Amino acid sequence: MRKVAPAQRPPWALAEDDFISRCTRCDACVEACPTLILVRGEGGFPSVDFSKGECSFCTECVTRCEPRALLRTDAHELPWALAARIGDACIAAAGVECRVCGESCPVGAIRFRPQLGGVSRPQLDVQTCTGCGACFAPCPTRAIAIESRLDTPMESEQ
């Protein structure tokens, strides 16, 4: 049996089963999103579409969620367990200079290390990455994925 990953929910979403049982599909969070990345997804539930932009973690979606399917209980609580992953389609691996992901990253989680005899390649610091998705849409080859931190190797493992 093939398992399908659940849709990426808005920041501070409850665990999937709890989210589904509480969310009324009212679209209040979608309408509140200033960066327009929250969209009506499968079954009418809100999901994140990073091709539209990045999450600024403004908490507007949480504030507007009356059924409390999005719930921030602690100011230091992470919004989600996401991080970027730079894949093999990165054009720097083919010797083409590109730094758009690093230039787009608001927290500086993507740095470029010089390569002897080649162009600099991006290095992602997963500990610094917020999973905001700012690097996703600008990537010309869609080499970046935003996925669970549990599935993303740390910088030293790459």
Side-chain angles (χ1 to χ4, degrees), residues 65-115:
C65 183
E66 289 185 23
R68 297 171 55 100
L70 307 178
L71 184 62
R72 186 177 185 198
T73 57
D74 178 1
H76 301 293
E77 180 182 13
L78 292 175
W80 47 35
L82 297 178
R85 182 185 55 77
I86 303 170
D88 295 336
C90 178
I91 59 177
V96 178
E97 184 72 34
C98 178
R99 294 176 182 243
V100 73
C101 59
E103 292 167 358
S104 301
C105 181
V107 296
I110 302 173
R111 298 181 312 265
F112 289 82
R113 296 219 172 121
Q115 300 291 313

Side-chain angles (χ1 to χ4, degrees), residues 81-157:
L82 297 178
R85 182 185 55 77
I86 303 170
D88 295 336
C90 178
I91 59 177
V96 178
E97 184 72 34
C98 178
R99 294 176 182 243
V100 73
C101 59
E103 292 167 358
S104 301
C105 181
V107 296
I110 302 173
R111 298 181 312 265
F112 289 82
R113 296 219 172 121
Q115 300 291 313
L116 190 59
V119 300
S120 297
R121 292 191 179 179
Q123 296 292 308
L124 175 69
D125 180 353
V126 177
Q127 300 296 4
T128 303
C129 180
T130 62
C132 72
C135 58
F136 180 84
C139 178
T141 60
R142 294 284 190 240
I144 297 177
I146 308 297
E147 55 190 33
S148 171
R149 288 180 175 277
L150 304 175
D151 302 332
T152 305
M154 298 298 177
E155 183 176 22
S156 61
E157 298 173 340

